[in-house]
Amino acid sequence: MSGPADAAWERAVFAVAPAFNAFTLPVACRLVPRRIAAIGQEQHTKKNAPVPRRAPSGAGRAHRTHESEEMTVDSQFDTAVAAYESSMEEMPFREHVEAYSFLKAVGDVVGRNVLDLGCGSGLYARRLRRAGAARAVGMDESAAMVEHARRREEGEGLGVEYLAANAADPAAGDLSDIAGSFDVVTAVYVLPYASSRQALEGFCATARRALRATGGRFVAAVLNPEFSTDPQWYRGYGMLLSSQRSPAEGTPGHLRAWVGPEVLDLDFFRWSAAAHEQALEAAGFDRVSWIRPTVSEEGRTKYGEAFWANYLDCPHALIIDAHAGPTAVSERRARPAEDTAGVPKR
């Protein structure tokens, strides 16, 4: 039986996707972490892939006090966040494909106000602020994650603001300091957290309401609707990706990623390109572009062309660049997607 610490950990565990923030989140991003387990000294291997082991829930905790359990939760949370942030160095894919492609798509933010939905520990909010954003705000539904980001901000003093709110609820875009205040809204591996069409539309509506009345852009790293179903296709990049074989919108999928000694298991929901575009249109975006990721020159030089071949042939994630003009934000609901002809191909 799980104790208070287990429940607290389940609540505190963050949006790591945001591949965790994509970490490797396919489609877009924000997967629901199911567990984070450290691998022991002895590891079984399959094609050099460590197999995570996890002690039974509550094991060894029968005699712990509530205080010691809370300390254990804090320690686990800090370890998980540290693993997520160190993944930029541990996983070549994150820095040389994910960050490189995403920030290139976002473009020049000097003097602009930027909102990062599903900010997690603030990794991208900090980078955008350092890139010259006049105002950088991170929004995440995890109060624990926001508190962690704020503590880091106190030490670094970059001027990044953090807010605990559920971006899947359009009301988040109506908050006084959010509504109509931003030039650009970003989201890394957040849209894949949408377990329903309503949630998918909610994320998009929050993004549009946060943009200025004159318009703006929503740039989101999302799961590629046509990611490879070969379970080993992305193993060389530190992750395994799987999904039920179903054409239904919102089909569940699973991501396992290795970051040094840490193993992260995350769940996501798979949406077609048509479903994304309908949600964006319903929110008030009038132009949507799909961008395939590329590899930085440094990444090509350091790891070679052959290393990236599989990924570039069929990337697990794509980038959406949605533009909204100076029109009223639409509140109409999108119709269910029937035609999948517009789904990005490999």
Side-chain angles (χ1 to χ4, degrees), residues 9 12-16 30-31 33 36 77 80-81 84 142 145 193 264:
W9 169 238
V13 106
F14 51 99
V16 133
R30 217 198 188 220
L31 303 182
I36 297 180
F77 181 82
V81 174
Y84 163 61
S142 169
M145 186 59 78
Y193 269 110
L264 291 85

Side-chain angles (χ1 to χ4, degrees), residues 44-305:
H44 297 287
T45 60
K46 180 180 181 180
K47 292 190 178 182
N48 297 321
V51 178
R53 297 179 296 173
R54 187 189 189 195
S57 179
R61 297 180 180 174
H63 303 292
R64 290 181 181 174
T65 64
H66 178 69
E67 180 179 359
S68 64
E69 288 177 330
E70 290 297 329
M71 292 177 65
T72 299
V73 170
D74 290 341
S75 177
Q76 290 175 318
F77 181 82
D78 290 341
T79 297
V81 174
Y84 163 61
E85 296 188 344
S86 69
S87 65
M88 276 293 181
E89 297 179 359
E90 297 281 352
M91 301 176 71
F93 157 82
R94 290 216 65 202
E95 183 62 40
H96 298 298
V97 176
E98 176 196 313
Y100 173 74
S101 300
F102 182 72
L103 294 175
K104 182 179 180 181
V106 172
D108 185 7
V109 295
V110 174
R112 299 179 183 276
N113 289 357
V114 183
L115 170 65
D116 185 35
L117 301 182
C119 67
S121 64
L123 191 155
Y124 278 100
R126 292 192 298 273
R127 292 186 75 152
L128 291 167
R129 175 64 171 170
R130 291 192 180 102
R135 183 187 180 202
V137 178
M139 177 188 292
D140 199 283
E141 67 174 331
S142 169
M145 186 59 78
V146 168
E147 179 57 30
H148 171 88
R150 285 173 175 166
R151 288 200 304 270
R152 176 156 181 168
E153 170 60 26
E154 290 176 359
E156 297 184 351
L158 293 175
V160 180
E161 306 166 42
Y162 294 100
L163 171 69
N166 179 10
D169 181 352
D174 294 329
L175 296 173
S176 60
D177 290 337
I178 300 298
S181 301
F182 298 89
D183 303 291
V184 181
V185 175
T186 62
V188 178
Y189 303 132
V190 174
L191 301 190
Y193 269 110
S195 59
S196 67
R197 187 177 292 275
Q198 181 179 7
L200 183 63
E201 293 175 353
F203 283 129
C204 297
T206 293
R208 179 60 187 95
R209 295 180 184 187
L211 291 173
R212 301 188 190 283
T214 53
R217 298 167 61 221
F218 178 33
V219 184
V222 303
L223 183 66
N224 179 1
E226 293 295 315
F227 67 80
S228 175
T229 56
D230 179 345
Q232 293 296 323
W233 192 266
Y234 305 106
R235 184 61 189 91
Y237 311 105
M239 55 186 165
L240 294 179
L241 200 61
S242 62
S243 177
Q244 296 177 14
R245 293 182 178 277
S246 169
E249 296 287 11
T251 297
H254 184 72
L255 171 75
R256 169 166 291 183
W258 288 266
V259 184
E262 303 297 322
V263 177
L264 291 85
D265 284 295
L266 308 103
D267 296 325
F268 61 85
F269 299 91
R270 189 173 184 175
W271 298 95
S272 69
H276 282 90
E277 291 170 3
Q278 289 178 344
L280 289 163
E281 181 183 0
F285 292 94
D286 48 38
R287 182 157 56 91
V288 178
S289 299
W290 291 82
I291 303 171
R292 291 178 67 91
T294 55
V295 182
S296 69
E297 188 60 36
E298 180 183 354
R300 291 178 183 277
T301 300
K302 188 172 183 179
Y303 297 95
E305 298 286 346

